[in-house]
PDB file of all heavy atoms in Angstrom:
ATOM      1  N   LYS L1035       0.822  -1.249  -0.016  1.00 88.00           N
ATOM      2  CA  LYS L1035       0.039   0.030  -0.027  1.00 88.00           C
ATOM      3  C   LYS L1035       0.847   1.235   0.007  1.00 88.00           C
ATOM      4  O   LYS L1035       0.582   2.224  -0.704  1.00 88.00           O
ATOM      5  CB  LYS L1035      -0.953  -0.012   1.190  1.00 88.00           C
ATOM      6  CG  LYS L1035      -2.021  -1.013   1.130  1.00 88.00           C
ATOM      7  CD  LYS L1035      -2.926  -0.888   2.364  1.00 88.00           C
ATOM      8  CE  LYS L1035      -3.980  -2.039   2.383  1.00 88.00           C
ATOM      9  NZ  LYS L1035      -4.771  -1.965   3.624  1.00 88.00           N
ATOM     10  N   LEU L1036       1.910   1.226   0.811  1.00 84.00           N
ATOM     11  CA  LEU L1036       2.805   2.392   0.895  1.00 84.00           C
ATOM     12  C   LEU L1036       3.547   2.626  -0.407  1.00 84.00           C
ATOM     13  O   LEU L1036       3.694   3.759  -0.877  1.00 84.00           O
ATOM     14  CB  LEU L1036       3.820   2.235   2.038  1.00 84.00           C
ATOM     15  CG  LEU L1036       3.274   2.294   3.434  1.00 84.00           C
ATOM     16  CD1 LEU L1036       4.372   1.959   4.457  1.00 84.00           C
ATOM     17  CD2 LEU L1036       2.641   3.615   3.790  1.00 84.00           C
ATOM     18  N   ARG L1037       3.902   1.570  -1.144  1.00 87.00           N
ATOM     19  CA  ARG L1037       4.545   1.695  -2.412  1.00 87.00           C
ATOM     20  C   ARG L1037       3.570   2.386  -3.362  1.00 87.00           C
ATOM     21  O   ARG L1037       3.955   3.273  -4.228  1.00 87.00           O
ATOM     22  CB  ARG L1037       4.969   0.344  -2.957  1.00 87.00           C
ATOM     23  CG  ARG L1037       6.251  -0.197  -2.362  1.00 87.00           C
ATOM     24  CD  ARG L1037       6.734  -1.465  -2.929  1.00 87.00           C
ATOM     25  NE  ARG L1037       7.915  -1.871  -2.288  1.00 87.00           N
ATOM     26  CZ  ARG L1037       8.361  -3.091  -2.358  1.00 87.00           C
ATOM     27  NH1 ARG L1037       7.751  -4.018  -3.002  1.00 87.00           N
ATOM     28  NH2 ARG L1037       9.525  -3.396  -1.712  1.00 87.00           N
ATOM     29  N   GLU L1038       2.315   1.924  -3.315  1.00 88.00           N
ATOM     30  CA  GLU L1038       1.323   2.521  -4.200  1.00 88.00           C
ATOM     31  C   GLU L1038       1.141   3.979  -3.878  1.00 88.00           C
ATOM     32  O   GLU L1038       1.067   4.810  -4.782  1.00 88.00           O
ATOM     33  CB  GLU L1038      -0.030   1.765  -4.017  1.00 88.00           C
ATOM     34  CG  GLU L1038      -0.006   0.327  -4.666  1.00 88.00           C
ATOM     35  CD  GLU L1038      -1.243  -0.444  -4.231  1.00 88.00           C
ATOM     36  OE1 GLU L1038      -2.208   0.127  -3.663  1.00 88.00           O
ATOM     37  OE2 GLU L1038      -1.301  -1.638  -4.615  1.00 88.00           O
ATOM     38  N   GLN L1039       1.119   4.322  -2.591  1.00 83.00           N
ATOM     39  CA  GLN L1039       0.932   5.699  -2.160  1.00 83.00           C
ATOM     40  C   GLN L1039       2.176   6.567  -2.621  1.00 83.00           C
ATOM     41  O   GLN L1039       2.012   7.662  -3.009  1.00 83.00           O
ATOM     42  CB  GLN L1039       0.716   5.821  -0.659  1.00 83.00           C
ATOM     43  CG  GLN L1039      -0.632   5.267  -0.248  1.00 83.00           C
ATOM     44  CD  GLN L1039      -0.777   5.290   1.262  1.00 83.00           C
ATOM     45  OE1 GLN L1039       0.072   5.645   2.007  1.00 83.00           O
ATOM     46  NE2 GLN L1039      -2.009   4.884   1.698  1.00 83.00           N
ATOM     47  N   VAL L1040       3.344   6.027  -2.487  1.00 81.00           N
ATOM     48  CA  VAL L1040       4.547   6.706  -2.864  1.00 81.00           C
ATOM     49  C   VAL L1040       4.526   6.950  -4.351  1.00 81.00           C
ATOM     50  O   VAL L1040       4.822   8.005  -4.886  1.00 81.00           O
ATOM     51  CB  VAL L1040       5.872   5.929  -2.464  1.00 81.00           C
ATOM     52  CG1 VAL L1040       7.092   6.464  -3.231  1.00 81.00           C
ATOM     53  CG2 VAL L1040       6.074   5.992  -0.978  1.00 81.00           C
ATOM     54  N   GLY L1041       4.051   5.938  -5.087  1.00 83.00           N
ATOM     55  CA  GLY L1041       3.889   6.128  -6.590  1.00 83.00           C
ATOM     56  C   GLY L1041       2.920   7.208  -6.900  1.00 83.00           C
ATOM     57  O   GLY L1041       3.219   8.043  -7.783  1.00 83.00           O
ATOM     58  N   ILE L1042       1.844   7.219  -6.190  1.00 82.00           N
ATOM     59  CA  ILE L1042       0.804   8.295  -6.390  1.00 82.00           C
ATOM     60  C   ILE L1042       1.374   9.603  -6.092  1.00 82.00           C
ATOM     61  O   ILE L1042       1.303  10.627  -6.846  1.00 82.00           O
ATOM     62  CB  ILE L1042      -0.455   7.961  -5.626  1.00 82.00           C
ATOM     63  CG1 ILE L1042      -1.129   6.721  -6.133  1.00 82.00           C
ATOM     64  CG2 ILE L1042      -1.436   9.184  -5.566  1.00 82.00           C
ATOM     65  CD1 ILE L1042      -2.284   6.205  -5.226  1.00 82.00           C
ATOM     66  N   LEU L1043       2.076   9.697  -4.943  1.00 77.00           N
ATOM     67  CA  LEU L1043       2.665  10.944  -4.508  1.00 77.00           C
ATOM     68  C   LEU L1043       3.790  11.412  -5.502  1.00 77.00           C
ATOM     69  O   LEU L1043       3.832  12.621  -5.916  1.00 77.00           O
ATOM     70  CB  LEU L1043       3.312  10.790  -3.087  1.00 77.00           C
ATOM     71  CG  LEU L1043       3.935  12.026  -2.503  1.00 77.00           C
ATOM     72  CD1 LEU L1043       2.959  13.156  -2.291  1.00 77.00           C
ATOM     73  CD2 LEU L1043       4.575  11.668  -1.155  1.00 77.00           C
ATOM     74  N   ALA L1044       4.583  10.493  -5.965  1.00 76.00           N
ATOM     75  CA  ALA L1044       5.629  10.843  -6.912  1.00 76.00           C
ATOM     76  C   ALA L1044       5.021  11.373  -8.230  1.00 76.00           C
ATOM     77  O   ALA L1044       5.514  12.357  -8.806  1.00 76.00           O
ATOM     78  CB  ALA L1044       6.548   9.625  -7.185  1.00 76.00           C
ATOM     79  N   ARG L1045       4.002  10.715  -8.666  1.00 80.00           N
ATOM     80  CA  ARG L1045       3.289  11.207  -9.902  1.00 80.00           C
ATOM     81  C   ARG L1045       2.681  12.598  -9.680  1.00 80.00           C
ATOM     82  O   ARG L1045       2.820  13.455 -10.540  1.00 80.00           O
ATOM     83  CB  ARG L1045       2.192  10.233 -10.346  1.00 80.00           C
ATOM     84  CG  ARG L1045       2.718   9.036 -11.092  1.00 80.00           C
ATOM     85  CD  ARG L1045       1.619   8.202 -11.694  1.00 80.00           C
ATOM     86  NE  ARG L1045       0.834   7.513 -10.684  1.00 80.00           N
ATOM     87  CZ  ARG L1045       1.104   6.298 -10.216  1.00 80.00           C
ATOM     88  NH1 ARG L1045       2.215   5.732 -10.651  1.00 80.00           N
ATOM     89  NH2 ARG L1045       0.375   5.760  -9.267  1.00 80.00           N
ATOM     90  N   ALA L1046       2.139  12.782  -8.449  1.00 75.00           N
ATOM     91  CA  ALA L1046       1.510  14.040  -8.198  1.00 75.00           C
ATOM     92  C   ALA L1046       2.520  15.181  -8.103  1.00 75.00           C
ATOM     93  O   ALA L1046       2.344  16.281  -8.661  1.00 75.00           O
ATOM     94  CB  ALA L1046       0.748  14.020  -6.856  1.00 75.00           C
ATOM     95  N   VAL L1047       3.706  14.887  -7.540  1.00 71.00           N
ATOM     96  CA  VAL L1047       4.759  15.822  -7.475  1.00 71.00           C
ATOM     97  C   VAL L1047       5.300  16.089  -8.878  1.00 71.00           C
ATOM     98  O   VAL L1047       5.583  17.293  -9.253  1.00 71.00           O
ATOM     99  CB  VAL L1047       5.883  15.399  -6.527  1.00 71.00           C
ATOM    100  CG1 VAL L1047       7.121  16.233  -6.621  1.00 71.00           C
ATOM    101  CG2 VAL L1047       5.421  15.329  -5.086  1.00 71.00           C
ATOM    102  N   TYR L1048       5.457  15.148  -9.642  1.00 73.00           N
ATOM    103  CA  TYR L1048       5.989  15.349 -10.962  1.00 73.00           C
ATOM    104  C   TYR L1048       4.964  16.106 -11.861  1.00 73.00           C
ATOM    105  O   TYR L1048       5.385  17.022 -12.580  1.00 73.00           O
ATOM    106  CB  TYR L1048       6.245  13.927 -11.606  1.00 73.00           C
ATOM    107  CG  TYR L1048       6.777  13.960 -12.999  1.00 73.00           C
ATOM    108  CD1 TYR L1048       8.074  14.379 -13.281  1.00 73.00           C
ATOM    109  CD2 TYR L1048       6.032  13.724 -14.093  1.00 73.00           C
ATOM    110  CE1 TYR L1048       8.623  14.451 -14.543  1.00 73.00           C
ATOM    111  CE2 TYR L1048       6.555  13.755 -15.369  1.00 73.00           C
ATOM    112  CZ  TYR L1048       7.862  14.147 -15.576  1.00 73.00           C
ATOM    113  OH  TYR L1048       8.358  14.225 -16.817  1.00 73.00           O
ATOM    114  N   VAL L1049       3.697  15.697 -11.800  1.00 76.00           N
ATOM    115  CA  VAL L1049       2.727  16.346 -12.646  1.00 76.00           C
ATOM    116  C   VAL L1049       2.461  17.805 -12.174  1.00 76.00           C
ATOM    117  O   VAL L1049       2.386  18.701 -12.995  1.00 76.00           O
ATOM    118  CB  VAL L1049       1.399  15.516 -12.556  1.00 76.00           C
ATOM    119  CG1 VAL L1049       0.263  16.345 -13.293  1.00 76.00           C
ATOM    120  CG2 VAL L1049       1.606  14.164 -13.255  1.00 76.00           C
ATOM    121  N   ASN L1050       2.391  17.970 -10.858  1.00 71.00           N
ATOM    122  CA  ASN L1050       2.049  19.313 -10.331  1.00 71.00           C
ATOM    123  C   ASN L1050       3.282  20.179 -10.109  1.00 71.00           C
ATOM    124  O   ASN L1050       3.184  21.348  -9.758  1.00 71.00           O
ATOM    125  CB  ASN L1050       1.271  19.177  -8.987  1.00 71.00           C
ATOM    126  CG  ASN L1050      -0.043  18.510  -9.191  1.00 71.00           C
ATOM    127  OD1 ASN L1050      -0.650  18.577 -10.249  1.00 71.00           O
ATOM    128  ND2 ASN L1050      -0.521  17.855  -8.141  1.00 71.00           N
ATOM    129  N   GLY L1051       4.468  19.550 -10.252  1.00 63.00           N
ATOM    130  CA  GLY L1051       5.638  20.335 -10.081  1.00 63.00           C
ATOM    131  C   GLY L1051       5.877  20.654  -8.656  1.00 63.00           C
ATOM    132  O   GLY L1051       6.305  21.767  -8.307  1.00 63.00           O
ATOM    133  N   GLY L1052       5.623  19.700  -7.813  1.00 62.00           N
ATOM    134  CA  GLY L1052       5.686  19.951  -6.356  1.00 62.00           C
ATOM    135  C   GLY L1052       7.129  19.917  -5.795  1.00 62.00           C
ATOM    136  O   GLY L1052       8.056  19.885  -6.578  1.00 62.00           O
ATOM    137  N   ASN L1053       7.208  20.047  -4.498  1.00 64.00           N
ATOM    138  CA  ASN L1053       8.457  20.157  -3.828  1.00 64.00           C
ATOM    139  C   ASN L1053       9.083  18.723  -3.718  1.00 64.00           C
ATOM    140  O   ASN L1053       8.531  17.859  -3.047  1.00 64.00           O
ATOM    141  CB  ASN L1053       8.204  20.747  -2.481  1.00 64.00           C
ATOM    142  CG  ASN L1053       9.514  21.112  -1.734  1.00 64.00           C
ATOM    143  OD1 ASN L1053      10.600  20.774  -2.260  1.00 64.00           O
ATOM    144  ND2 ASN L1053       9.402  21.785  -0.665  1.00 64.00           N
ATOM    145  N   TRP L1054      10.230  18.486  -4.249  1.00 66.00           N
ATOM    146  CA  TRP L1054      10.967  17.261  -4.211  1.00 66.00           C
ATOM    147  C   TRP L1054      11.522  16.955  -2.804  1.00 66.00           C
ATOM    148  O   TRP L1054      11.759  15.803  -2.449  1.00 66.00           O
ATOM    149  CB  TRP L1054      12.141  17.216  -5.277  1.00 66.00           C
ATOM    150  CG  TRP L1054      11.561  17.115  -6.607  1.00 66.00           C
ATOM    151  CD1 TRP L1054      11.356  18.175  -7.525  1.00 66.00           C
ATOM    152  CD2 TRP L1054      11.133  15.957  -7.267  1.00 66.00           C
ATOM    153  NE1 TRP L1054      10.924  17.781  -8.716  1.00 66.00           N
ATOM    154  CE2 TRP L1054      10.766  16.349  -8.622  1.00 66.00           C
ATOM    155  CE3 TRP L1054      11.055  14.604  -7.001  1.00 66.00           C
ATOM    156  CZ2 TRP L1054      10.235  15.453  -9.507  1.00 66.00           C
ATOM    157  CZ3 TRP L1054      10.627  13.776  -7.899  1.00 66.00           C
ATOM    158  CH2 TRP L1054      10.206  14.131  -9.181  1.00 66.00           C
ATOM    159  N   GLN L1055      11.692  17.957  -2.033  1.00 66.00           N
ATOM    160  CA  GLN L1055      12.256  17.789  -0.707  1.00 66.00           C
ATOM    161  C   GLN L1055      11.267  17.036   0.192  1.00 66.00           C
ATOM    162  O   GLN L1055      11.666  16.190   0.997  1.00 66.00           O
ATOM    163  CB  GLN L1055      12.530  19.174  -0.041  1.00 66.00           C
ATOM    164  CG  GLN L1055      13.687  19.833  -0.737  1.00 66.00           C
ATOM    165  CD  GLN L1055      13.898  21.228  -0.134  1.00 66.00           C
ATOM    166  OE1 GLN L1055      13.031  21.765   0.553  1.00 66.00           O
ATOM    167  NE2 GLN L1055      15.017  21.821  -0.416  1.00 66.00           N
ATOM    168  N   GLU L1056      10.014  17.222  -0.029  1.00 67.00           N
ATOM    169  CA  GLU L1056       9.011  16.446   0.731  1.00 67.00           C
ATOM    170  C   GLU L1056       9.144  14.986   0.393  1.00 67.00           C
ATOM    171  O   GLU L1056       8.988  14.140   1.251  1.00 67.00           O
ATOM    172  CB  GLU L1056       7.635  17.047   0.502  1.00 67.00           C
ATOM    173  CG  GLU L1056       7.527  18.390   0.958  1.00 67.00           C
ATOM    174  CD  GLU L1056       6.175  19.055   0.516  1.00 67.00           C
ATOM    175  OE1 GLU L1056       5.463  18.467  -0.365  1.00 67.00           O
ATOM    176  OE2 GLU L1056       5.823  20.095   1.077  1.00 67.00           O
ATOM    177  N   LEU L1057       9.205  14.658  -0.842  1.00 68.00           N
ATOM    178  CA  LEU L1057       9.301  13.249  -1.371  1.00 68.00           C
ATOM    179  C   LEU L1057      10.553  12.684  -0.797  1.00 68.00           C
ATOM    180  O   LEU L1057      10.651  11.535  -0.343  1.00 68.00           O
ATOM    181  CB  LEU L1057       9.257  13.229  -2.880  1.00 68.00           C
ATOM    182  CG  LEU L1057       9.316  11.825  -3.478  1.00 68.00           C
ATOM    183  CD1 LEU L1057       8.220  10.957  -2.945  1.00 68.00           C
ATOM    184  CD2 LEU L1057       9.327  11.879  -4.928  1.00 68.00           C
ATOM    185  N   GLU L1058      11.670  13.412  -0.797  1.00 72.00           N
ATOM    186  CA  GLU L1058      12.953  12.937  -0.298  1.00 72.00           C
ATOM    187  C   GLU L1058      12.813  12.679   1.204  1.00 72.00           C
ATOM    188  O   GLU L1058      13.393  11.632   1.624  1.00 72.00           O
ATOM    189  CB  GLU L1058      14.006  14.016  -0.533  1.00 72.00           C
ATOM    190  CG  GLU L1058      15.378  13.540  -0.145  1.00 72.00           C
ATOM    191  CD  GLU L1058      16.486  14.612  -0.455  1.00 72.00           C
ATOM    192  OE1 GLU L1058      16.176  15.562  -1.204  1.00 72.00           O
ATOM    193  OE2 GLU L1058      17.533  14.479   0.141  1.00 72.00           O
ATOM    194  N   MET L1059      12.159  13.534   1.950  1.00 70.00           N
ATOM    195  CA  MET L1059      11.994  13.301   3.386  1.00 70.00           C
ATOM    196  C   MET L1059      11.259  11.906   3.591  1.00 70.00           C
ATOM    197  O   MET L1059      11.645  11.123   4.516  1.00 70.00           O
ATOM    198  CB  MET L1059      11.103  14.391   4.010  1.00 70.00           C
ATOM    199  CG  MET L1059      10.813  14.211   5.429  1.00 70.00           C
ATOM    200  SD  MET L1059       9.697  15.423   6.033  1.00 70.00           S
ATOM    201  CE  MET L1059       8.128  14.889   5.323  1.00 70.00           C
ATOM    202  N   LEU L1060      10.255  11.567   2.806  1.00 67.00           N
ATOM    203  CA  LEU L1060       9.607  10.338   2.984  1.00 67.00           C
ATOM    204  C   LEU L1060      10.440   9.151   2.604  1.00 67.00           C
ATOM    205  O   LEU L1060      10.481   8.128   3.300  1.00 67.00           O
ATOM    206  CB  LEU L1060       8.327  10.295   2.067  1.00 67.00           C
ATOM    207  CG  LEU L1060       7.173  11.219   2.493  1.00 67.00           C
ATOM    208  CD1 LEU L1060       6.112  11.252   1.426  1.00 67.00           C
ATOM    209  CD2 LEU L1060       6.611  10.782   3.843  1.00 67.00           C
ATOM    210  N   LEU L1061      11.207   9.287   1.582  1.00 72.00           N
ATOM    211  CA  LEU L1061      12.032   8.134   1.078  1.00 72.00           C
ATOM    212  C   LEU L1061      13.229   7.890   1.969  1.00 72.00           C
ATOM    213  O   LEU L1061      13.873   6.809   1.861  1.00 72.00           O
ATOM    214  CB  LEU L1061      12.428   8.436  -0.309  1.00 72.00           C
ATOM    215  CG  LEU L1061      11.258   8.405  -1.297  1.00 72.00           C
ATOM    216  CD1 LEU L1061      11.785   8.767  -2.752  1.00 72.00           C
ATOM    217  CD2 LEU L1061      10.553   7.116  -1.342  1.00 72.00           C
ATOM    218  N   GLU L1062      13.649   8.890   2.820  1.00 77.00           N
ATOM    219  CA  GLU L1062      14.789   8.622   3.715  1.00 77.00           C
ATOM    220  C   GLU L1062      14.443   7.830   4.964  1.00 77.00           C
ATOM    221  O   GLU L1062      15.344   7.548   5.750  1.00 77.00           O
ATOM    222  CB  GLU L1062      15.457   9.982   4.085  1.00 77.00           C
ATOM    223  CG  GLU L1062      16.118  10.683   2.985  1.00 77.00           C
ATOM    224  CD  GLU L1062      16.707  12.048   3.406  1.00 77.00           C
ATOM    225  OE1 GLU L1062      16.287  12.509   4.465  1.00 77.00           O
ATOM    226  OE2 GLU L1062      17.487  12.561   2.641  1.00 77.00           O
TER     227      GLU L1062
END
């Protein structure tokens, strides 16, 4: 489920041009 959510979040950040730092915080 978390992988799916990360995938959704990564797509949202990529599509919306969001902050990569937030994604990095999650992945660390």
Side-chain angles (χ1 to χ4, degrees):
K1035 288 179 187 177
L1036 291 174
R1037 282 184 181 162
E1038 290 171 5
Q1039 290 175 357
V1040 166
I1042 293 170
L1043 181 62
R1045 277 189 292 275
V1047 167
Y1048 181 74
V1049 171
N1050 296 330
N1053 189 353
W1054 289 97
Q1055 290 176 346
E1056 294 171 350
L1057 182 59
E1058 185 179 343
M1059 176 186 75
L1060 289 173
L1061 295 177
E1062 286 179 351

